[in-house]
Amino acid sequence: MSFSFFKALRPKTPQEVAKSIKESFMALDTKTVVEVKALEKALEEIEKNFATMRTMLSGDGESEPNSDQISQLVEEICREDVLTLLIHKLPILGWEARKDLVHCWSILLKQKVECNYCCVEYIEQHLELLDFLVVCYDNKEIALSTGIMLRDCIKFPSLAKYILESASFVLFFKFVELANFDVASDAFSTFKDLLTKHPDVVSEFLNAHYDEFFDLYEKLLTSPNYVTRRQSLKLLSEFLLESPNTQIMRRYILEVRYMKVMMTLLRVFVANPNKPRDVKIILAKNKEKLLELLQNLSPGKGSEDEQFEEEKEFIIKEIGKVSV
C-alpha cells in the first residue's frame, strides 16, 4: 500500500487547511476556469475545504474541536489573507459552501488568540470588506448570507462604528424598502442592530450626523409602506430612549418638523381600536415620557398650527388610556 494513501487519511493541520482554502480560491482566478468543468471542479474543491474548516471549528458530532487547532487556524487564515478571499469570492460560491461559510464566520470572529480577536483586528485593517458586505444586499442571491455575516461583525463596537460612519450606511435606507420582502426584512434587522447594539457608539454618531440621519429617517416614518412606518417608529423609540441619547431625543421630539410626523403616526396608532400589540407595548412602555414631552411642547412652536394643537390634545388623552 502506498505512502500517499496513508497521507490522504491523515487529518489536515490548521496550516494545511488555510493553505488549501487559499489555493482553491486562487484557482478561480486562473484562465482555466473559463471552461465550465474547470470552474465546477474549483468550486467543488472550495466546498470540500469549507467542510473541513467547519469540522475543525465545530467538531464532527462525535468529538469536540481542539482549541489549539482553532487558534492556529484563525492565525493562519489571517496571515494568508483568506478572510479577504472569503468575502470577495462569496458571490460565486454555491449554496452549500455559503452555508458553511456563514457558520464558520461567527466562530472565526469570536475566537481569541492570546486575548486578541484576530479576525476582528484583520477586518479593522481591511475595512473595505465591510462596505462590500453591505453592498451585497443588492444581490438577492447572497443577501441573506451576507446579512448574517454583517450582524456578526456589528457585535463588535469598532466594526459597528465604521459602518455607521461609512458612505455605505446610507444604503440601508434603500435596502429596508427593497421589493424583495425577505431581503428588506433582513436589511432592517441589520439596520436595527447598528442602531441598538452599542448605545454609546450610536449616540456619538447621532450627535455628529444629526441632521443628515434624521432627514433620511423621516422618509422611513412617512413611507407609503405601513410595515416600514410601523417598524421604523418602533426602532426610533428603542434607540432614542437609550440613556446616552436623552439629549438627542429631546432635541428631536421638540422640532416641529419631526413632531408633526410623530403626531400623525401616533394619531393613527392610538385611534385604531385594533392596534397591533407591539404598538400598544411601545405606547404603554413609553407613556410617561411621551406625555411629558407632549405636555411640555413649547406653546410658541405649536400654537401657530391650530390643527397641530388639537391633535396634540387628542393624543395626550388617548395615550393616557393605553394599557397592555
Side-chain angles (χ1 to χ4, degrees):
M1 191 173 292
S2 67
F3 172 77
S4 60
F5 175 79
F6 292 104
K7 184 177 181 181
L9 292 178
R10 178 180 60 80
K12 287 184 177 180
T13 66
Q15 292 79 3
E16 289 171 338
V17 172
K19 184 178 179 181
S20 293
I21 293 173
K22 182 174 183 177
E23 289 177 347
S24 59
F25 272 121
M26 298 302 288
L28 292 175
D29 292 329
T30 63
K31 295 180 180 180
T32 59
V33 298
V34 296
E35 300 175 9
V36 175
K37 289 186 177 179
L39 176 59
E40 290 178 348
K41 183 178 179 181
L43 291 174
E44 286 176 6
E45 191 63 27
I46 289 174
E47 191 171 306
K48 291 177 182 178
N49 286 327
F50 276 15
T52 301
M53 175 171 64
R54 178 169 182 157
T55 299
M56 185 168 287
L57 291 173
S58 303
D60 57 9
E62 296 181 358
S63 59
E64 293 297 315
N66 183 295
S67 58
D68 288 337
Q69 284 193 329
I70 293 177
S71 295
Q72 291 172 30
L73 179 60
V74 169
E75 285 187 295
E76 288 300 317
I77 282 177
C78 293
R79 183 179 294 114
E80 295 292 335
D81 288 324
V82 173
L83 283 185
T84 294
L85 293 170
L86 293 180
I87 293 177
H88 283 302
K89 300 299 184 183
L90 195 151
I92 63 175
L93 299 180
W95 182 84
E96 193 67 33
R98 288 203 305 271
K99 184 181 72 172
D100 282 341
L101 172 56
V102 169
H103 175 86
C104 294
W105 183 257
S106 176
I107 300 173
L108 291 170
L109 290 184
K110 292 185 294 186
Q111 182 61 36
K112 283 187 176 182
V113 179
E114 296 182 356
C115 299
N116 297 319
Y117 292 106
C118 290
C119 291
V120 174
E121 291 180 354
Y122 180 91
I123 296 173
E124 288 173 346
Q125 297 166 9
H126 301 80
L127 291 168
E128 70 281 357
L129 298 178
L130 294 174
D131 293 313
F132 185 88
L133 287 175
V134 172
V135 173
C136 282
Y137 268 120
D138 254 335
N139 184 340
K140 64 181 181 180
E141 298 299 323
I142 62 171
L144 302 185
S145 296
T146 55
I148 295 173
M149 294 168 70
L150 269 173
R151 289 190 290 279
D152 281 329
C153 291
I154 291 168
K155 293 175 183 177
F156 299 89
S158 61
L159 304 187
K161 177 180 173 65
Y162 172 77
I163 297 175
L164 283 170
E165 296 178 347
S166 70
S168 61
F169 174 66
V170 299
L171 294 175
F172 279 100
F173 293 91
K174 164 194 168 186
F175 294 148
V176 298
E177 295 206 87
L178 288 172
N180 185 300
F181 178 78
D182 290 336
V183 176
S185 297
D186 194 276
F188 197 92
S189 294
T190 304
F191 185 59
K192 178 180 178 180
D193 279 5
L194 280 167
L195 293 172
T196 57
K197 285 293 183 183
H198 310 288
D200 290 332
V201 171
V202 173
S203 179
E204 182 182 342
F205 165 74
L206 292 177
N207 274 306
H209 304 278
Y210 180 89
D211 290 322
E212 178 186 0
F213 174 81
F214 283 109
D215 282 347
L216 289 168
Y217 205 92
E218 185 177 6
K219 295 177 182 178
L220 297 182
L221 293 171
T222 56
S223 168
N225 186 310
Y226 173 75
V227 174
T228 298
R229 294 199 308 271
R230 190 180 74 179
Q231 287 183 324
S232 300
L233 177 61
K234 180 179 179 181
L235 176 57
L236 181 69
S237 72
E238 288 183 26
F239 68 79
L240 281 185
L241 289 172
E242 291 285 355
S243 55
N245 292 329
T246 300
Q247 294 305 314
I248 295 170
M249 176 184 68
R250 292 184 179 279
R251 177 182 174 183
Y252 175 83
I253 207 74
L254 293 176
E255 288 193 52
V256 172
R257 60 174 176 154
Y258 297 136
M259 191 59 189
K260 287 185 177 181
V261 173
M262 294 293 290
M263 293 272 280
T264 301
L265 291 169
L266 286 170
R267 197 183 204 291
V268 172
F269 290 141
V270 300
N272 180 5
N274 299 315
K275 62 179 73 67
R277 179 171 174 79
D278 60 344
V279 173
K280 291 182 67 177
I281 292 173
I282 294 170
L283 295 175
K285 181 179 179 181
N286 303 324
K287 181 190 292 189
E288 292 184 6
K289 287 184 178 291
L290 285 170
L291 289 175
E292 178 186 355
L293 290 168
L294 288 167
Q295 289 167 346
N296 293 333
L297 187 62
S298 171
K301 288 182 178 289
S303 60
E304 299 174 2
D305 189 334
E306 184 176 345
Q307 182 180 0
F308 179 78
E309 286 296 321
E310 291 177 357
E311 290 188 350
K312 185 181 80 171
E313 292 303 317
F314 169 78
I315 292 170
I316 288 175
K317 180 181 178 181
E318 292 299 315
I319 288 179
K321 297 178 183 179
V322 173
S323 61
V324 180

